[in-house]
Amino acid sequence: MVESNQKSKRLVEIAWSLYERLPLAADDVLKWGFRYVLPFKNLNMSVAILRGPTQLNGRLGTVIIAGSEHEAGYLIHRFFEAEYQREPLGKVPLWDLGNTLKQLRTSADLTIAHVDQFYARMFLSADYLAVPEWVGSSLALPEDINELANKNYKLRRELKRVSGNNFTYELSRVEEAFERFYCTMFIPFIRKRYGEQSVIRNIHQMRRMFHQGGLFFIKRNNQPVAGLLFEQRNEQLRSIAFGTINGESKPVEEGAFASLYLLLVKHAYVSGCKLVDFGGCRPSLSDGVLRYKHKWGVSLREKPDTWYDFLVYWNRFNGPIISFFSKTPLIFRDHKGLSGLCVMDQKEPATNAQVRKIHHSVWMPGLKWLYLISASGWRANISSPPQTCLIDLKSSENLTPHKLKLNGLL
């Protein structure tokens, strides 16, 4: 058995090594075929019941999880306040997953299925809110780079602070530099920052991207303290991965990432690019990384190399669900675009001032609509901001995803 595993690992390494050497055109073919192979990758889906204290004052809540619990950890840890108990229910054939979840979800507060998009759209999407595993963020370059800071005082203030940190910069396309970045910056940074929710990219995949771009390093006293791996395809410059030396947080606090983003944007101008891809973000309008990128003027977009969705279902719009959506406004697939769903959890009917405040704090360019649900209704003569749908939870009967769709709200 050990020998068999070693042979399998060697074959995988050989396959990845060959992938690195394929022409660029092969990526589109591989991506096209990969999405149709995914349903056969997991013909049997693991299902479990999770129970624990929720964000609503520690009230006990229940989540049904189907598929990868690790990948869904981002949502799970925003529903539960602390550690939860897991009751495995075994594995379910993919073609029977819909029926199984229908039977189980009536006794749960929240149901999350981590399923490939092809299967999700074919069999499960009607009853669920389809939340992409990752969303993209991109910046259409203005004619004048100074416009970026002029439009956002927070960015202008940060760039001013960074200018006094005595950083020096280096652009590298040396193979040894990539190995050093991957091992001493990227992996330590991801593991320290995200812990159990870490997603470590394959080194062969990242090396292939490196060969189409390069590395920016931020230095202090001639020693690299942070780095950014980027890739260039035609007129698009794409941010791939950040890292700091040994995963340290101090360079981040000193503005190293702001400096790296600025280098990326300036390099895009020099290279004749029209678009900067700022990379993927978690599918929540309150996600810290997404809000930081918002300062640079990015717009949301579909991430083309995201293959999985979180199919989200709530049986009743009760306390834990209200609390969850107020703290984690989700980005979801709304026909052929992306929209957001956010709950305003207050004791009194929401006012115009409160609506404007929450809209300002979560709105992102690239959204089709923002659906705002008020747990306590709305004040008289309430007005809706542009591309915003106001939903009164008090006068609506049990807002499940399916009923929202039937009423034409989602």
Side-chain angles (χ1 to χ4, degrees):
M1 181 64 72
V2 174
E3 184 178 352
S4 176
N5 289 338
Q6 290 176 343
K7 286 182 178 179
S8 297
K9 288 181 180 179
R10 282 198 296 269
L11 289 173
V12 170
E13 284 295 315
I14 291 172
W16 275 113
S17 297
L18 292 173
Y19 167 74
E20 284 187 38
R21 295 165 174 79
L22 288 175
L24 287 179
D27 282 352
D28 293 334
V29 177
L30 291 172
K31 288 177 181 178
W32 178 84
F34 188 58
R35 67 172 62 238
Y36 296 107
V37 173
L38 285 177
F40 300 98
K41 183 182 176 183
N42 294 306
L43 291 176
N44 292 298
M45 302 281 287
S46 60
V47 179
I49 302 176
L50 313 179
R51 298 183 178 91
T54 69
Q55 298 285 349
L56 184 66
N57 301 322
R59 170 181 166 180
L60 290 179
T62 306
V63 173
I64 303 295
I65 177 70
S68 173
E69 187 176 329
H70 172 73
E71 300 296 344
Y74 177 80
L75 300 180
I76 293 171
H77 289 288
R78 278 154 181 74
F79 181 80
F80 291 112
E81 183 180 41
E83 292 297 319
Y84 55 83
Q85 295 181 339
R86 183 178 187 275
E87 179 187 345
L89 301 179
K91 293 197 172 185
V92 176
L94 188 59
W95 54 85
D96 193 38
L97 182 63
N99 291 330
T100 300
L101 292 181
K102 278 187 178 181
Q103 295 173 14
L104 293 172
R105 70 192 189 189
T106 56
S107 60
D109 294 299
L110 190 67
T111 299
I112 304 171
H114 182 249
V115 185
D116 69 272
Q117 291 175 21
F118 179 76
Y119 181 84
R121 289 170 179 169
M122 288 290 291
F123 301 107
L124 290 173
S125 60
D127 284 351
Y128 295 82
L129 202 67
V131 177
E133 187 176 22
W134 297 90
V135 293
S137 57
S138 61
L139 171 68
L141 289 177
E143 292 184 3
D144 183 356
I145 193 172
N146 294 319
E147 289 182 27
L148 294 176
N150 291 337
K151 289 181 179 180
N152 192 307
Y153 79 93
K154 291 182 179 179
L155 177 61
R156 188 165 60 249
R157 184 177 59 191
E158 182 167 10
L159 292 178
K160 184 177 180 180
R161 177 175 65 88
V162 167
S163 65
N165 280 337
N166 299 318
F167 288 135
T168 56
Y169 315 102
E170 178 188 349
L171 169 61
S172 177
R173 291 188 171 93
V174 180
E175 189 74 25
E176 290 77 12
F178 168 77
E179 299 287 342
R180 185 170 66 251
F181 168 79
Y182 187 85
C183 296
T184 67
M185 289 187 175
F186 170 66
I187 291 180
F189 175 76
I190 293 296
R191 286 180 174 166
K192 285 187 178 181
R193 186 160 191 173
Y194 299 106
E196 294 180 356
Q197 297 179 41
S198 299
V199 179
I200 306 295
R201 284 178 178 265
N202 182 287
I203 188 172
H204 299 286
Q205 188 180 32
M206 287 183 65
R207 187 184 286 114
R208 177 177 170 82
M209 296 171 177
F210 168 72
H211 289 157
Q212 305 303 321
L215 275 164
F216 287 118
F217 286 113
I218 296 293
K219 292 184 172 183
R220 170 161 286 159
N221 299 324
N222 208 34
Q223 296 298 317
V225 296
L228 167 65
L229 174 66
F230 69 91
E231 175 189 38
Q232 183 171 349
R233 295 284 183 93
N234 301 319
E235 295 182 330
Q236 177 174 301
L237 206 64
R238 181 185 177 199
S239 169
I240 303 299
F242 283 106
T244 61
I245 190 69
N246 300 321
E248 295 173 2
S249 60
K250 187 176 180 180
V252 181
E253 297 165 359
E254 293 177 337
F257 283 5
S259 297
L260 288 167
Y261 272 139
L262 186 60
L263 285 173
L264 188 71
V265 172
K266 287 182 175 180
H267 188 71
Y269 271 98
V270 173
S271 304
C273 294
K274 296 181 179 179
L275 190 75
V276 179
D277 184 340
F278 273 59
C281 304
R282 295 294 190 177
S284 171
L285 293 169
S286 62
D287 180 70
V289 174
L290 180 60
R291 299 319 304 178
Y292 177 76
K293 292 178 181 180
H294 177 49
K295 291 196 294 187
W296 289 83
V298 303
S299 295
L300 286 175
R301 67 171 187 168
E302 295 261 7
K303 197 168 183 297
D305 56 352
T306 291
W307 313 112
Y308 286 87
D309 281 349
F310 300 117
L311 298 185
V312 178
Y313 181 89
W314 57 91
N315 193 48
R316 293 169 297 277
F317 221 98
N318 57 11
I321 296 300
I322 292 172
S323 178
F324 172 74
F325 275 108
S326 66
K327 294 178 174 62
T328 313
L330 291 182
I331 300 166
F332 65 94
R333 300 187 189 279
D334 190 4
H335 299 92
K336 293 184 178 180
L338 297 172
S339 291
L341 180 63
C342 180
V343 171
M344 300 179 65
D345 186 13
Q346 72 287 322
K347 295 180 180 180
E348 300 294 331
T351 65
N352 276 315
Q354 290 172 322
V355 170
R356 288 193 298 270
K357 182 178 179 180
I358 192 70
H359 185 274
H360 178 74
S361 67
V362 301
W363 177 260
M364 285 282 298
L367 287 175
K368 284 181 61 178
W369 285 93
L370 176 63
Y371 296 89
L372 279 182
I373 300 177
S374 174
S376 300
W378 310 101
R379 287 281 181 91
N381 301 319
I382 197 79
S383 60
S384 174
Q387 295 173 260
T388 302
C389 178
L390 303 182
I391 303 172
D392 184 351
L393 186 61
K394 290 184 68 178
S395 62
S396 302
E397 181 183 354
N398 194 23
L399 288 172
T400 63
H402 185 58
K403 288 183 178 180
L404 287 170
K405 291 177 182 180
L406 286 177
N407 291 328
L409 296 176
L410 293 186

